[in-house]
Every structure is written in structure tokens, then in C-alpha cells.
Amino acid sequence: DYSFVSGTWNMKMWAKNDEWRDFVYENLRDLWSKTRVALGFNMLSTTNPAHHEETLYYADPAHMIEFCRRELSPNVRRVDRLEPREFVVFLLR
């Protein structure tokens, strides 16, 4: 019914950013297809003022929300409680 993902997509190691982003999008599509009620996940944010580690993936919050609205559900909410380092996204069916 519910899917929650925490920290799963932070470690990209030596993958290129756009390759990792596409991997995350593919994972989200697959997970959403198996979720009946709601999905929640967090991501490191590109707005993080700290030094960005080369092996970590930082997502653009606005682009992630747009992807979710366009491809998964119009019922999307971004929570910035962990800002500026992270953001959380919730999607409802």
C-alpha cells in the first residue's frame, strides 16, 4: 500500500549525474506502479550550501517535483523541513 525510500539514491559512486537521475526516475516509475496509496522519498538537494561530495547524488527539487507531477501523480507535496541539505517528496494516488 505504502512505499518509503530513505537515502537509497544518495550514493551514485562514479555514475554520471544524468545517468543516475535516469536510474532514479526509472526506479520511481517502477515503485509507483507497485504502490497503491502513497509514496514518500528523500533526496539530497542541489541547494545544499555545503561541499558536494563527488560520489553522492544531489537532485534539483523543482525538477524532481516536475517529474513526479508529469509522470507519476498530480498529487505531489514537497517538504522542506530538512532544507537546505535534503528534501522529501510525498505522492498520493
Side-chain angles (χ1 to χ4, degrees):
D1 290 343
Y2 296 87
S3 299
F4 295 96
V5 183
S6 180
T8 302
W9 298 304
N10 291 350
M11 185 72 72
K12 70 175 180 103
M13 295 308 292
W14 305 114
K16 294 178 182 170
N17 280 338
D18 40 336
E19 291 173 346
W20 195 255
R21 181 200 60 230
D22 292 345
F23 173 76
V24 171
Y25 287 172
E26 182 180 326
N27 275 236
L28 281 167
R29 285 184 199 103
D30 186 49
L31 189 57
W32 186 243
S33 75
K34 296 173 173 86
T35 302
R36 292 187 330 133
V37 178
L39 164 66
F41 65 93
N42 71 321
M43 303 289 293
L44 295 174
S45 178
T46 54
T47 63
N48 184 344
H51 171 73
H52 287 201
E53 296 293 326
E54 191 175 338
T55 58
L56 298 179
Y57 178 69
Y58 300 84
D60 181 304
H63 288 149
M64 187 59 67
I65 293 299
E66 175 56 32
F67 164 81
C68 290
R69 278 200 179 110
R70 184 180 67 247
E71 299 209 22
L72 305 178
S73 172
N75 300 318
V76 179
R77 180 169 178 220
R78 179 174 130 193
V79 178
D80 294 325
R81 185 170 302 198
L82 304 175
E83 199 173 60
R85 299 189 192 292
E86 297 180 39
F87 62 97
V88 178
V89 177
F90 292 106
L91 296 96
L92 295 171
R93 288 265 179 213

Coordinates of all heavy atoms in Angstrom, one line a residue:
D1 N 0.8 -1.2 0.0 CA 0.0 0.0 0.0 C 0.9 1.3 0.0 O 0.6 2.2 -0.8 CB -0.9 0.0 1.2 CG -2.0 -1.0 1.1 OD1 -2.3 -1.5 0.0 OD2 -2.6 -1.3 2.1
Y2 N 1.8 1.3 0.9 CA 2.7 2.5 1.0 C 4.1 2.1 0.7 O 4.6 1.0 1.1 CB 2.6 3.0 2.5 CG 1.3 3.5 2.9 CD1 0.3 2.6 3.4 CD2 0.9 4.8 2.7 CE1 -0.9 3.1 3.7 CE2 -0.3 5.3 3.1 CZ -1.3 4.4 3.6 OH -2.5 4.9 3.9
S3 N 4.8 3.0 0.1 CA 6.3 2.8 -0.2 C 7.0 4.0 0.4 O 6.6 5.2 0.2 CB 6.5 2.7 -1.7 OG 5.8 1.6 -2.2
F4 N 8.1 3.7 1.1 CA 9.0 4.7 1.6 C 10.4 4.4 1.2 O 10.9 3.3 1.4 CB 8.9 4.8 3.1 CG 7.5 5.2 3.6 CD1 6.5 4.3 3.9 CD2 7.2 6.6 3.6 CE1 5.3 4.7 4.3 CE2 5.9 7.0 4.0 CZ 5.0 6.0 4.4
V5 N 11.1 5.4 0.8 CA 12.5 5.3 0.4 C 13.3 6.4 1.1 O 13.1 7.5 0.9 CB 12.7 5.4 -1.2 CG1 14.1 5.2 -1.6 CG2 11.7 4.4 -1.9
S6 N 14.4 6.0 1.8 CA 15.2 6.9 2.5 C 16.6 6.7 2.3 O 17.2 5.7 2.7 CB 14.8 6.8 4.0 OG 15.6 7.8 4.8
G7 N 17.3 7.6 1.6 CA 18.7 7.6 1.4 C 19.2 6.6 0.3 O 20.3 6.5 0.0
T8 N 18.2 5.9 -0.3 CA 18.6 4.9 -1.2 C 19.3 5.4 -2.5 O 20.2 4.7 -2.9 CB 17.3 4.2 -1.7 OG1 16.6 3.6 -0.5 CG2 17.6 3.1 -2.7
W9 N 19.0 6.6 -2.9 CA 19.6 7.1 -4.2 C 20.7 8.1 -4.0 O 21.1 8.8 -4.9 CB 18.5 7.6 -5.1 CG 17.5 6.6 -5.5 CD1 17.7 5.4 -6.1 CD2 16.1 6.6 -5.3 NE1 16.6 4.7 -6.3 CE2 15.5 5.4 -5.8 CE3 15.2 7.6 -4.7 CZ2 14.2 5.1 -5.7 CZ3 13.9 7.3 -4.6 CH2 13.4 6.1 -5.2
N10 N 21.1 8.2 -2.7 CA 22.2 9.2 -2.4 C 23.5 8.9 -3.0 O 24.3 9.7 -3.4 CB 22.3 9.5 -0.9 CG 21.1 10.2 -0.4 OD1 20.2 10.7 -1.1 ND2 21.0 10.2 0.9
M11 N 23.9 7.6 -2.9 CA 25.2 7.1 -3.3 C 25.3 6.7 -4.7 O 24.9 5.6 -5.1 CB 25.6 6.0 -2.4 CG 27.1 5.5 -2.6 SD 28.3 6.6 -1.9 CE 28.1 6.3 -0.2
K12 N 25.8 7.6 -5.6 CA 25.9 7.3 -7.0 C 27.3 6.7 -7.4 O 27.5 6.3 -8.5 CB 25.6 8.5 -7.9 CG 26.7 9.6 -7.8 CD 26.4 10.7 -8.7 CE 27.4 11.8 -8.6 NZ 28.3 11.8 -9.7
M13 N 28.2 6.8 -6.5 CA 29.6 6.4 -6.7 C 30.2 7.1 -7.9 O 30.2 8.3 -7.9 CB 29.7 4.9 -6.8 CG 29.4 4.1 -5.5 SD 30.2 4.7 -4.1 CE 31.9 4.2 -4.4
W14 N 30.5 6.5 -9.0 CA 31.2 7.1 -10.1 C 30.2 7.3 -11.3 O 30.7 7.6 -12.4 CB 32.5 6.5 -10.5 CG 33.4 6.4 -9.3 CD1 33.8 5.2 -8.6 CD2 33.9 7.4 -8.5 NE1 34.5 5.5 -7.5 CE2 34.6 6.9 -7.4 CE3 33.9 8.8 -8.6 CZ2 35.3 7.7 -6.5 CZ3 34.5 9.6 -7.7 CH2 35.3 9.0 -6.7
A15 N 29.0 7.1 -11.1 CA 28.0 7.2 -12.2 C 27.9 8.7 -12.5 O 28.0 9.6 -11.7 CB 26.6 6.7 -11.8
K16 N 27.6 9.0 -13.8 CA 27.4 10.4 -14.2 C 26.0 10.9 -13.7 O 25.1 10.1 -13.5 CB 27.4 10.5 -15.7 CG 28.8 10.2 -16.3 CD 28.8 10.3 -17.8 CE 30.2 10.0 -18.3 NZ 30.2 9.8 -19.7
N17 N 25.9 12.2 -13.4 CA 24.7 12.7 -12.8 C 23.5 12.4 -13.6 O 22.4 12.0 -13.1 CB 24.8 14.2 -12.5 CG 25.6 14.5 -11.3 OD1 25.7 13.7 -10.4 ND2 26.1 15.7 -11.2
D18 N 23.5 12.6 -14.9 CA 22.3 12.4 -15.7 C 22.0 10.9 -15.8 O 20.8 10.5 -15.9 CB 22.4 13.1 -17.1 CG 23.7 13.0 -17.8 OD1 24.7 12.8 -17.1 OD2 23.7 13.1 -19.0
E19 N 23.0 10.0 -15.8 CA 22.7 8.6 -15.8 C 22.1 8.2 -14.5 O 21.1 7.4 -14.5 CB 24.0 7.8 -15.9 CG 24.7 7.9 -17.3 CD 26.1 7.3 -17.4 OE1 26.6 6.9 -16.3 OE2 26.5 7.1 -18.5
W20 N 22.5 8.8 -13.4 CA 22.0 8.4 -12.1 C 20.5 9.0 -12.0 O 19.6 8.3 -11.4 CB 22.8 8.9 -10.9 CG 22.5 8.3 -9.6 CD1 21.8 8.9 -8.6 CD2 22.7 6.9 -9.2 NE1 21.6 8.0 -7.6 CE2 22.2 6.8 -7.9 CE3 23.4 5.9 -9.8 CZ2 22.2 5.6 -7.2 CZ3 23.5 4.7 -9.1 CH2 22.9 4.6 -7.8
R21 N 20.3 10.2 -12.5 CA 19.0 10.8 -12.4 C 18.0 9.9 -13.2 O 16.9 9.6 -12.7 CB 19.0 12.2 -13.1 CG 17.6 12.8 -13.1 CD 17.5 14.0 -14.1 NE 17.8 13.4 -15.4 CZ 18.6 13.9 -16.3 NH1 19.3 15.0 -16.1 NH2 18.7 13.3 -17.5
D22 N 18.4 9.4 -14.4 CA 17.6 8.5 -15.1 C 17.3 7.2 -14.4 O 16.2 6.6 -14.5 CB 18.2 8.2 -16.5 CG 18.2 9.4 -17.4 OD1 17.5 10.4 -17.1 OD2 18.9 9.4 -18.4
F23 N 18.3 6.7 -13.7 CA 18.2 5.5 -12.9 C 17.1 5.7 -11.8 O 16.3 4.9 -11.5 CB 19.5 5.1 -12.3 CG 19.5 4.0 -11.3 CD1 19.3 2.7 -11.7 CD2 19.6 4.2 -9.9 CE1 19.3 1.6 -10.8 CE2 19.6 3.2 -9.0 CZ 19.4 1.9 -9.4
V24 N 17.2 6.9 -11.1 CA 16.3 7.2 -10.1 C 14.9 7.3 -10.6 O 13.9 6.8 -10.1 CB 16.7 8.6 -9.4 CG1 15.6 9.0 -8.4 CG2 18.0 8.4 -8.6
Y25 N 14.7 8.0 -11.8 CA 13.4 8.1 -12.4 C 12.8 6.7 -12.8 O 11.7 6.5 -12.5 CB 13.5 8.9 -13.7 CG 13.7 10.4 -13.5 CD1 13.9 11.3 -14.5 CD2 13.6 11.0 -12.2 CE1 14.1 12.6 -14.4 CE2 13.8 12.4 -12.0 CZ 14.0 13.2 -13.1 OH 14.2 14.5 -13.0
E26 N 13.6 5.9 -13.3 CA 13.2 4.5 -13.6 C 12.8 3.8 -12.4 O 11.7 3.1 -12.4 CB 14.3 3.8 -14.3 CG 14.0 2.4 -14.7 CD 15.2 1.7 -15.4 OE1 16.0 2.3 -16.1 OE2 15.3 0.4 -15.2
N27 N 13.5 3.9 -11.3 CA 13.2 3.3 -10.0 C 11.8 3.8 -9.5 O 11.0 3.1 -9.0 CB 14.3 3.5 -9.0 CG 15.4 2.5 -9.0 OD1 15.7 1.9 -8.0 ND2 16.0 2.4 -10.2
L28 N 11.7 5.1 -9.6 CA 10.4 5.7 -9.1 C 9.2 5.3 -9.9 O 8.2 5.0 -9.3 CB 10.5 7.3 -9.1 CG 11.3 7.9 -8.0 CD1 11.6 9.4 -8.3 CD2 10.6 7.8 -6.7
R29 N 9.4 5.2 -11.2 CA 8.3 4.7 -12.0 C 7.9 3.2 -11.6 O 6.7 2.9 -11.5 CB 8.7 4.7 -13.5 CG 8.7 6.0 -14.1 CD 9.0 5.9 -15.7 NE 9.4 7.2 -16.2 CZ 10.7 7.5 -16.5 NH1 11.7 6.6 -16.3 NH2 11.0 8.7 -17.0
D30 N 8.9 2.4 -11.4 CA 8.7 1.0 -11.1 C 8.0 0.9 -9.7 O 7.0 0.2 -9.5 CB 10.0 0.2 -11.1 CG 9.8 -1.2 -10.9 OD1 8.9 -1.8 -11.5 OD2 10.5 -1.8 -10.0
L31 N 8.5 1.7 -8.7 CA 8.0 1.6 -7.4 C 6.6 2.2 -7.3 O 5.7 1.6 -6.7 CB 8.9 2.5 -6.4 CG 8.6 2.4 -4.9 CD1 8.7 0.9 -4.4 CD2 9.6 3.2 -4.2
W32 N 6.3 3.2 -8.1 CA 5.0 3.8 -8.1 C 4.0 2.8 -8.7 O 2.8 2.7 -8.3 CB 5.0 5.1 -8.9 CG 3.7 5.8 -8.9 CD1 2.9 6.1 -10.0 CD2 3.0 6.4 -7.8 NE1 1.8 6.8 -9.6 CE2 1.8 7.0 -8.2 CE3 3.3 6.5 -6.4 CZ2 1.0 7.7 -7.4 CZ3 2.4 7.2 -5.6 CH2 1.3 7.8 -6.1
S33 N 4.4 2.0 -9.7 CA 3.5 1.0 -10.3 C 3.1 -0.1 -9.3 O 2.1 -0.8 -9.4 CB 4.1 0.4 -11.5 OG 5.2 -0.5 -11.1
K34 N 3.9 -0.2 -8.2 CA 3.6 -1.2 -7.2 C 3.0 -0.6 -5.9 O 2.8 -1.3 -4.9 CB 4.9 -1.9 -6.8 CG 5.5 -2.7 -8.0 CD 6.8 -3.3 -7.6 CE 7.4 -4.2 -8.6 NZ 8.0 -3.5 -9.7
T35 N 2.7 0.7 -5.9 CA 2.2 1.4 -4.7 C 0.8 1.7 -4.9 O 0.4 2.3 -5.9 CB 3.0 2.7 -4.5 OG1 4.4 2.4 -4.4 CG2 2.6 3.5 -3.3
R36 N -0.1 1.3 -3.9 CA -1.5 1.6 -4.1 C -2.0 2.9 -3.4 O -3.0 3.4 -3.9 CB -2.3 0.4 -3.4 CG -2.1 -0.9 -4.2 CD -3.0 -2.0 -3.8 NE -3.3 -2.0 -2.4 CZ -4.5 -2.2 -1.9 NH1 -5.5 -2.5 -2.7 NH2 -4.8 -2.2 -0.6
V37 N -1.3 3.4 -2.4 CA -1.9 4.5 -1.7 C -0.9 5.7 -1.8 O -1.3 6.8 -2.2 CB -2.2 4.2 -0.2 CG1 -2.7 5.4 0.6 CG2 -3.2 3.0 -0.1
A38 N 0.3 5.6 -1.3 CA 1.2 6.7 -1.2 C 2.7 6.3 -1.3 O 3.0 5.2 -0.9 CB 1.0 7.5 0.1
L39 N 3.5 7.2 -1.7 CA 4.9 7.0 -1.8 C 5.6 8.2 -1.2 O 5.2 9.4 -1.5 CB 5.3 6.9 -3.3 CG 6.8 7.0 -3.7 CD1 7.6 5.8 -3.1 CD2 7.0 7.0 -5.2
G40 N 6.7 8.0 -0.4 CA 7.5 9.0 0.1 C 8.9 8.7 -0.1 O 9.4 7.6 0.1
F41 N 9.7 9.7 -0.4 CA 11.2 9.5 -0.6 C 11.9 10.8 -0.3 O 11.3 11.9 -0.3 CB 11.5 9.0 -1.9 CG 11.2 9.9 -3.1 CD1 12.2 10.8 -3.6 CD2 10.0 10.0 -3.7 CE1 11.9 11.6 -4.6 CE2 9.7 10.8 -4.7 CZ 10.7 11.6 -5.2
N42 N 13.2 10.7 0.1 CA 14.0 11.9 0.3 C 15.2 11.9 -0.7 O 15.6 10.8 -1.2 CB 14.5 12.0 1.7 CG 15.5 10.9 2.1 OD1 15.4 9.8 1.6 ND2 16.5 11.3 2.9
M43 N 15.7 13.1 -0.9 CA 16.9 13.2 -1.8 C 17.8 14.3 -1.2 O 17.3 15.2 -0.6 CB 16.5 13.7 -3.2 CG 15.5 12.8 -3.9 SD 16.1 11.2 -4.5 CE 17.3 11.7 -5.7
L44 N 19.1 14.2 -1.5 CA 20.0 15.3 -1.2 C 19.7 16.4 -2.2 O 19.3 16.1 -3.4 CB 21.4 14.8 -1.4 CG 21.9 13.8 -0.4 CD1 23.3 13.3 -0.7 CD2 21.9 14.3 1.1
S45 N 19.8 17.6 -1.8 CA 19.4 18.8 -2.6 C 20.6 19.5 -3.2 O 21.6 19.7 -2.6 CB 18.6 19.7 -1.8 OG 18.2 20.9 -2.5
T46 N 20.4 19.9 -4.5 CA 21.3 20.8 -5.2 C 21.5 22.1 -4.5 O 22.5 22.8 -4.7 CB 21.0 21.0 -6.6 OG1 19.6 21.5 -6.7 CG2 21.1 19.7 -7.4
T47 N 20.5 22.5 -3.6 CA 20.6 23.8 -2.9 C 21.5 23.7 -1.7 O 21.7 24.7 -1.0 CB 19.2 24.3 -2.5 OG1 18.6 23.3 -1.6 CG2 18.3 24.4 -3.7
N48 N 22.0 22.5 -1.4 CA 22.9 22.3 -0.2 C 24.1 23.2 -0.3 O 24.9 23.1 -1.3 CB 23.3 20.8 -0.2 CG 24.2 20.5 1.0 OD1 24.7 21.3 1.7 ND2 24.3 19.2 1.2
P49 N 24.3 24.1 0.7 CA 25.4 25.0 0.6 C 26.8 24.4 0.9 O 27.8 25.0 0.6 CB 25.1 26.1 1.7 CG 24.2 25.3 2.6 CD 23.5 24.3 1.9
A50 N 26.7 23.2 1.5 CA 28.0 22.5 1.9 C 28.7 22.0 0.6 O 28.1 21.9 -0.5 CB 27.7 21.4 2.8
H51 N 29.9 21.6 0.8 CA 30.7 21.0 -0.3 C 29.9 19.7 -0.8 O 29.5 18.9 0.0 CB 32.1 20.6 0.1 CG 32.8 19.8 -0.8 ND1 33.4 20.4 -2.0 CD2 33.2 18.5 -0.9 CE1 34.0 19.4 -2.7 NE2 33.9 18.3 -2.0
H52 N 29.8 19.6 -2.1 CA 29.1 18.4 -2.7 C 30.1 17.3 -2.9 O 31.1 17.5 -3.6 CB 28.4 18.8 -4.0 CG 27.2 19.6 -3.9 ND1 26.2 19.7 -4.8 CD2 26.8 20.4 -2.8 CE1 25.3 20.5 -4.4 NE2 25.6 20.9 -3.2
E53 N 29.9 16.2 -2.3 CA 30.8 15.0 -2.5 C 30.6 14.5 -3.9 O 29.4 14.3 -4.4 CB 30.4 14.0 -1.5 CG 30.7 14.4 0.0 CD 32.2 14.6 0.3 OE1 33.0 13.9 -0.3 OE2 32.4 15.5 1.1
E54 N 31.7 14.1 -4.5 CA 31.6 13.6 -5.9 C 30.8 12.3 -6.1 O 30.2 12.0 -7.1 CB 33.0 13.5 -6.4 CG 33.1 13.2 -7.9 CD 34.5 13.2 -8.4 OE1 35.4 13.7 -7.8 OE2 34.8 12.6 -9.5
T55 N 30.9 11.5 -5.0 CA 30.2 10.2 -5.1 C 28.7 10.2 -4.7 O 28.1 9.2 -4.7 CB 31.0 9.2 -4.2 OG1 31.0 9.6 -2.9 CG2 32.4 8.9 -4.8
L56 N 28.2 11.4 -4.3 CA 26.8 11.5 -3.9 C 26.0 12.2 -5.0 O 26.5 13.0 -5.7 CB 26.7 12.3 -2.6 CG 27.4 11.7 -1.4 CD1 27.2 12.6 -0.1 CD2 26.9 10.3 -1.1
Y57 N 24.7 11.8 -5.0 CA 23.8 12.4 -6.0 C 23.0 13.5 -5.3 O 22.3 13.2 -4.3 CB 22.9 11.4 -6.6 CG 22.0 12.0 -7.6 CD1 22.4 12.5 -8.8 CD2 20.6 12.1 -7.3 CE1 21.5 13.0 -9.7 CE2 19.7 12.6 -8.2 CZ 20.2 13.1 -9.4 OH 19.3 13.7 -10.3
Y58 N 23.0 14.7 -5.9 CA 22.2 15.8 -5.5 C 21.1 16.1 -6.5 O 21.5 16.4 -7.7 CB 23.1 17.0 -5.2 CG 24.1 16.8 -4.2 CD1 25.3 16.2 -4.5 CD2 23.9 17.1 -2.8 CE1 26.3 15.9 -3.6 CE2 24.9 16.9 -1.9 CZ 26.1 16.3 -2.3 OH 27.0 16.0 -1.3
A59 N 19.9 16.1 -6.1 CA 18.8 16.3 -7.1 C 18.3 17.7 -7.0 O 18.3 18.3 -5.9 CB 17.6 15.3 -6.8
D60 N 17.8 18.3 -8.1 CA 17.2 19.6 -8.1 C 15.7 19.4 -7.7 O 15.0 18.7 -8.3 CB 17.2 20.1 -9.5 CG 16.6 21.5 -9.6 OD1 15.4 21.7 -9.3 OD2 17.3 22.4 -10.1
P61 N 15.3 20.0 -6.5 CA 14.0 19.8 -6.0 C 12.9 20.1 -7.0 O 11.9 19.4 -7.2 CB 13.9 20.7 -4.8 CG 15.3 20.9 -4.4 CD 16.1 20.9 -5.7
A62 N 13.0 21.3 -7.7 CA 12.0 21.7 -8.7 C 11.9 20.7 -9.8 O 10.7 20.3 -10.2 CB 12.3 23.1 -9.2
H63 N 13.0 20.2 -10.3 CA 12.9 19.2 -11.4 C 12.3 17.9 -10.9 O 11.6 17.2 -11.7 CB 14.3 18.9 -12.0 CG 14.8 20.1 -12.8 ND1 16.2 20.4 -12.9 CD2 14.2 21.0 -13.5 CE1 16.4 21.4 -13.6 NE2 15.2 21.8 -14.0
M64 N 12.7 17.5 -9.7 CA 12.1 16.2 -9.2 C 10.6 16.3 -9.0 O 9.9 15.4 -9.4 CB 12.8 15.9 -7.8 CG 12.4 14.5 -7.3 SD 12.8 13.1 -8.4 CE 14.5 13.2 -8.3
I65 N 10.1 17.4 -8.5 CA 8.7 17.6 -8.4 C 8.0 17.6 -9.7 O 6.9 17.0 -9.9 CB 8.4 19.0 -7.6 CG1 8.8 18.8 -6.1 CG2 6.9 19.3 -7.7 CD1 8.2 17.7 -5.3
E66 N 8.6 18.3 -10.7 CA 8.0 18.3 -12.0 C 7.9 16.9 -12.6 O 6.9 16.6 -13.2 CB 8.8 19.3 -12.9 CG 8.4 19.3 -14.4 CD 6.9 19.6 -14.6 OE1 6.4 20.4 -13.8 OE2 6.3 19.1 -15.5
F67 N 9.0 16.1 -12.5 CA 9.0 14.8 -13.0 C 7.8 14.0 -12.3 O 7.1 13.3 -13.0 CB 10.3 14.1 -12.7 CG 10.2 12.6 -12.8 CD1 10.3 12.0 -14.0 CD2 10.0 11.8 -11.7 CE1 10.1 10.6 -14.2 CE2 9.9 10.4 -11.8 CZ 10.0 9.8 -13.1
C68 N 7.7 14.1 -11.0 CA 6.7 13.4 -10.3 C 5.3 13.8 -10.8 O 4.4 12.9 -11.0 CB 6.8 13.6 -8.8 SG 8.3 12.8 -8.1
R69 N 5.0 15.0 -10.9 CA 3.7 15.5 -11.4 C 3.4 15.1 -12.8 O 2.3 14.7 -13.2 CB 3.7 17.1 -11.4 CG 3.4 17.6 -10.0 CD 2.9 19.0 -10.1 NE 2.6 19.4 -8.7 CZ 3.3 20.3 -8.0 NH1 4.3 20.9 -8.6 NH2 3.0 20.6 -6.8
R70 N 4.4 15.1 -13.7 CA 4.3 14.8 -15.1 C 4.1 13.3 -15.3 O 3.3 12.9 -16.1 CB 5.5 15.3 -15.9 CG 5.4 15.1 -17.4 CD 6.6 15.6 -18.1 NE 7.8 14.9 -17.8 CZ 8.9 15.3 -17.1 NH1 8.9 16.6 -16.7 NH2 9.9 14.5 -16.8
E71 N 4.9 12.5 -14.6 CA 4.9 11.1 -14.9 C 4.3 10.1 -13.8 O 4.0 9.0 -14.1 CB 6.3 10.6 -15.1 CG 6.9 11.3 -16.3 CD 8.0 10.5 -17.0 OE1 8.0 9.3 -16.9 OE2 8.8 11.2 -17.6
L72 N 4.0 10.6 -12.6 CA 3.5 9.7 -11.6 C 2.2 10.1 -11.1 O 1.2 9.4 -11.2 CB 4.5 9.6 -10.4 CG 6.0 9.2 -10.8 CD1 6.9 9.2 -9.6 CD2 6.0 7.9 -11.5
S73 N 2.1 11.3 -10.5 CA 0.8 11.7 -9.9 C 0.7 13.3 -9.8 O 1.7 13.9 -9.4 CB 0.7 11.1 -8.5 OG -0.5 11.7 -7.8
P74 N -0.4 13.8 -10.0 CA -0.6 15.3 -9.8 C -0.6 15.6 -8.3 O -0.5 16.8 -8.0 CB -1.9 15.6 -10.5 CG -2.7 14.4 -10.5 CD -1.6 13.2 -10.6
N75 N -0.8 14.6 -7.5 CA -0.9 14.8 -6.0 C 0.5 14.7 -5.4 O 0.8 13.6 -4.8 CB -1.9 13.8 -5.4 CG -3.3 14.0 -6.0 OD1 -3.8 15.1 -6.2 ND2 -3.9 12.9 -6.3
V76 N 1.3 15.7 -5.5 CA 2.7 15.7 -5.1 C 2.8 16.8 -4.0 O 2.4 18.0 -4.2 CB 3.7 15.9 -6.2 CG1 5.1 15.9 -5.7 CG2 3.5 14.9 -7.3
R77 N 3.6 16.5 -3.0 CA 3.9 17.6 -2.0 C 5.4 17.5 -1.6 O 5.9 16.4 -1.4 CB 3.1 17.3 -0.7 CG 3.4 18.4 0.3 CD 2.4 18.4 1.4 NE 2.8 19.4 2.4 CZ 2.7 19.2 3.7 NH1 2.3 18.1 4.2 NH2 3.1 20.2 4.5
R78 N 6.0 18.6 -1.6 CA 7.5 18.7 -1.2 C 7.5 19.2 0.2 O 6.9 20.2 0.5 CB 8.2 19.6 -2.2 CG 9.7 19.7 -1.9 CD 10.3 20.5 -3.0 NE 11.1 21.6 -2.4 CZ 11.6 22.6 -3.1 NH1 11.4 22.7 -4.3 NH2 12.3 23.5 -2.5
V79 N 8.3 18.6 1.0 CA 8.5 19.0 2.4 C 10.0 19.5 2.5 O 10.9 18.7 2.2 CB 8.2 17.9 3.4 CG1 8.5 18.3 4.8 CG2 6.8 17.4 3.2
D80 N 10.1 20.7 3.0 CA 11.5 21.3 3.0 C 12.0 21.3 4.5 O 12.9 22.1 4.8 CB 11.5 22.7 2.4 CG 11.2 22.6 1.0 OD1 11.7 21.7 0.3 OD2 10.6 23.6 0.5
R81 N 11.5 20.5 5.3 CA 11.9 20.5 6.7 C 13.4 20.3 6.9 O 14.0 20.8 7.9 CB 11.1 19.5 7.5 CG 11.3 19.5 9.0 CD 10.3 18.7 9.7 NE 9.0 19.2 9.3 CZ 7.9 18.9 10.0 NH1 8.0 18.1 11.0 NH2 6.7 19.4 9.7
L82 N 13.9 19.5 6.0 CA 15.4 19.2 6.1 C 16.2 20.1 5.3 O 17.4 19.9 5.2 CB 15.6 17.7 5.7 CG 14.8 16.7 6.4 CD1 15.0 15.3 5.8 CD2 15.2 16.7 7.9
E83 N 15.6 21.1 4.7 CA 16.3 22.1 3.8 C 17.4 22.8 4.6 O 17.2 23.1 5.7 CB 15.3 23.1 3.2 CG 15.8 23.8 2.0 CD 14.7 24.6 1.3 OE1 14.2 25.5 2.0 OE2 14.4 24.3 0.2
P84 N 18.5 23.2 4.0 CA 18.8 23.1 2.6 C 19.5 21.8 2.1 O 19.8 21.7 0.9 CB 19.7 24.3 2.4 CG 20.5 24.3 3.6 CD 19.5 23.9 4.7
R85 N 19.8 20.9 3.0 CA 20.6 19.8 2.6 C 19.8 18.7 1.9 O 20.3 18.0 1.1 CB 21.3 19.2 3.9 CG 22.2 20.1 4.5 CD 23.1 19.5 5.6 NE 23.8 20.4 6.4 CZ 24.8 21.2 6.0 NH1 25.2 21.2 4.8 NH2 25.4 22.0 6.9
E86 N 18.5 18.5 2.3 CA 17.7 17.5 1.8 C 16.3 18.0 1.6 O 15.9 19.0 2.1 CB 17.6 16.3 2.7 CG 18.8 15.6 3.0 CD 18.6 14.4 4.0 OE1 17.6 13.7 3.9 OE2 19.5 14.2 4.8
F87 N 15.5 17.2 0.8 CA 14.1 17.5 0.6 C 13.3 16.2 0.6 O 13.9 15.1 0.3 CB 13.7 18.4 -0.6 CG 14.1 17.7 -1.9 CD1 13.2 17.1 -2.7 CD2 15.4 17.8 -2.4 CE1 13.5 16.5 -3.9 CE2 15.8 17.3 -3.6 CZ 14.8 16.6 -4.3
V88 N 12.1 16.2 0.9 CA 11.2 15.0 1.0 C 10.1 15.2 0.0 O 9.5 16.3 -0.1 CB 10.7 14.7 2.4 CG1 9.8 13.5 2.5 CG2 11.9 14.6 3.4
V89 N 9.7 14.1 -0.7 CA 8.6 14.2 -1.6 C 7.6 13.1 -1.2 O 7.9 12.0 -0.9 CB 9.0 14.0 -3.1 CG1 7.9 13.9 -4.0 CG2 10.1 15.0 -3.5
F90 N 6.3 13.5 -1.2 CA 5.2 12.6 -0.9 C 4.2 12.6 -2.1 O 3.9 13.7 -2.6 CB 4.4 13.0 0.3 CG 5.2 12.8 1.6 CD1 5.7 13.9 2.3 CD2 5.4 11.5 2.1 CE1 6.4 13.7 3.4 CE2 6.1 11.3 3.3 CZ 6.6 12.4 3.9
L91 N 3.8 11.5 -2.6 CA 2.9 11.4 -3.7 C 1.7 10.5 -3.2 O 1.9 9.5 -2.5 CB 3.5 10.6 -4.9 CG 4.6 11.3 -5.6 CD1 5.9 10.7 -5.1 CD2 4.5 11.0 -7.1
L92 N 0.5 11.0 -3.6 CA -0.7 10.2 -3.3 C -1.4 9.8 -4.5 O -1.4 10.5 -5.5 CB -1.7 11.1 -2.4 CG -1.2 11.5 -1.1 CD1 -2.2 12.5 -0.5 CD2 -1.1 10.3 -0.2
R93 N -2.1 8.7 -4.5 CA -2.9 8.2 -5.6 C -4.2 9.1 -5.7 O -4.6 9.6 -4.8 CB -3.3 6.8 -5.5 CG -2.2 5.8 -5.7 CD -2.1 5.4 -7.1 NE -1.0 4.5 -7.2 CZ -0.3 4.4 -8.4 NH1 -0.7 5.1 -9.4 NH2 0.7 3.6 -8.5

